[in-house]
Amino acid sequence: MNDAVYQRIAREIREWIESGRLQPGDRVPSTREITVRWNVAMATATKVLVTLRSEGFVRPVAGVGTVVSSEGGEAARPRAQEADLTGERLVLAAVRLADAEGLDGVSMRRLASQLGVATMSLYRHVENKDELVLRMIDHVLRKEELPDPPPETWRERLEVCARLQWKLFQEHAWLAPAMSMTRPQLLPSAVAYTEWVLNALDGKGLNLEEMMHAAVTVFGFVRGVAVNIEPEADQRRDTGMTGDEWMTQQAPALLDIVSTGNFPMFSRVINSELDLELDTLFEFGLARMLDGIGEWISGRSTLTETRTGM
């Protein structure tokens, strides 16, 4: 699918909405109408409407089709604030909104309202929400600089890197889910962390592939724990209960499980004072991971010494 094509079509329909050509409640072109009018595939037409829905311009209505949302149809008119709008202001506003409500709460229309500008003016700075999220990630990662000069040992360097990532993930709960391990965001600010770990492990008897696997594995661990921060925050907001309060509420169900006598070890667990907060899971897991990498490096060094007869 040609991304430039679906973005161009979405931009054209947005302009119809912003200019008032389409008013709130008006039906926008269906996927079939888009395929005919713009001579594109059905998949491209579908992505056009998905994009407009994600940005808050349109909404589906049963029995009618896709219509302009109640916030749509705002006539594009110059506003005093638009002269001061910059890409940096847009990114900062998006980060603040995501910190408060998650990435799902970030839409171009919401941002435009907060910034006091017409929605279409945002597209002079970013092509779409995907590009905006990329710039948000870059902005956040650049907030924290890795120390120069670095700590002396490889373990201290990896620990510094992991702790900085953990700090950013805690401050921005949306960040960990937004970052990918399989399709990583190719940003200098993100590559800097990988470079740091590779430099820390260089000269320890590992080949380049092994060092890269170690770098990605450490990041994967930190991110893997951090992806639970946002759901936990959502649960606290939705239920009004902390994790401890929720566990207390589950006490009857837990007692039913252990009363069978089939789980003696688990029975000991629930009758003890254990701290399984995300922070303690992070601390324990990071220490054990670095222990394992240390054993791996030590074994590799011993093997090298044996081969060289040292």
Side-chain angles (χ1 to χ4, degrees):
M1 184 186 301
N2 188 332
D3 283 356
V5 173
Y6 90 82
Q7 290 167 2
R8 174 176 56 79
I9 299 171
R11 182 164 54 248
E12 188 171 340
I13 297 175
R14 282 196 298 265
E15 290 172 354
W16 294 354
I17 297 172
E18 288 291 333
S19 67
R21 177 177 170 181
L22 289 176
Q23 296 291 325
D26 287 349
R27 195 172 68 84
V28 301
S30 66
T31 51
R32 184 165 298 280
E33 289 168 340
I34 291 173
T35 62
V36 174
R37 182 185 182 96
W38 282 279
N39 191 29
V40 295
M42 185 65 73
T44 301
T46 300
K47 192 160 188 179
V48 170
L49 295 183
V50 168
T51 299
L52 292 171
R53 283 200 299 271
S54 70
E55 294 169 348
F57 283 93
V58 302
R59 60 186 178 87
V61 175
V64 177
T66 302
V67 304
V68 177
S69 70
S70 59
E71 296 179 336
E74 174 189 14
R77 57 186 182 275
R79 305 183 186 186
Q81 295 92 329
E82 291 184 8
D84 299 324
L85 181 62
T86 63
E88 186 67 13
R89 278 192 64 208
L90 170 58
V91 171
L92 284 171
V95 169
R96 286 194 295 267
L97 184 56
D99 288 346
E101 302 185 25
L103 277 182
D104 288 343
V106 177
S107 72
M108 294 303 199
R109 185 161 295 279
R110 289 281 307 279
L111 288 169
S113 176
Q114 290 189 357
L115 291 166
V117 299
T119 306
M120 282 306 299
S121 65
L122 304 186
Y123 292 96
R124 292 197 289 268
H125 300 280
V126 293
E127 182 70 26
N128 50 36
K129 185 177 176 180
D130 288 343
E131 182 184 340
L132 177 60
V133 171
L134 198 65
R135 292 183 60 177
M136 290 165 62
I137 293 172
D138 185 53
H139 170 82
V140 169
L141 293 181
R142 285 189 286 107
K143 282 176 49 181
E144 297 287 345
E145 293 187 0
L146 291 158
D148 185 19
E152 292 186 2
T153 70
W154 68 265
R155 182 173 181 130
E156 290 174 313
R157 295 187 190 187
L158 265 62
E159 188 171 355
V160 163
C161 183
R163 291 191 185 284
L164 278 179
Q165 292 171 341
W166 180 245
K167 179 175 182 289
L168 291 174
F169 289 148
Q170 287 180 305
E171 292 174 349
H172 307 281
W174 54 270
L175 182 60
M179 297 187 72
S180 174
M181 289 184 60
T182 56
R183 300 187 180 188
Q185 288 82 2
L186 299 179
L187 299 165
S189 55
V191 173
Y193 284 86
T194 303
E195 181 77 7
W196 174 276
V197 175
L198 293 176
N199 279 325
L201 296 175
D202 192 26
K204 306 302 179 185
L206 309 177
N207 61 42
L208 192 59
E209 182 179 1
E210 291 170 332
M211 289 190 289
M212 191 63 189
H213 272 80
V216 174
T217 299
V218 172
F219 168 73
F221 161 72
V222 180
R223 178 184 177 274
V225 179
V227 294
N228 297 286
I229 296 174
E230 188 173 41
E232 173 59 21
D234 291 341
Q235 287 294 325
R236 287 194 181 198
R237 183 169 55 251
D238 294 342
T239 66
M241 291 189 293
T242 66
D244 287 340
E245 290 169 339
W246 183 85
M247 286 300 297
T248 299
Q249 190 181 66
Q250 306 308 308
L254 289 171
L255 291 174
D256 284 344
I257 293 174
V258 301
S259 64
T260 63
N262 294 328
F263 310 104
M265 291 299 298
F266 189 71
S267 178
R268 289 170 57 186
V269 168
I270 67 169
N271 286 300
S272 63
E273 295 293 331
L274 292 181
D275 184 0
L276 290 178
E277 296 292 332
L278 292 179
D279 276 322
T280 60
L281 291 172
F282 167 75
E283 294 293 343
F284 178 87
L286 178 62
R288 302 294 77 76
M289 176 164 287
L290 296 181
D291 289 345
I293 292 176
E295 290 291 329
W296 184 36
I297 291 175
S298 296
R300 188 58 56 87
S301 299
T302 301
L303 179 61
T304 301
E305 293 172 1
T306 301
R307 288 175 175 174
T308 58
M310 295 178 63

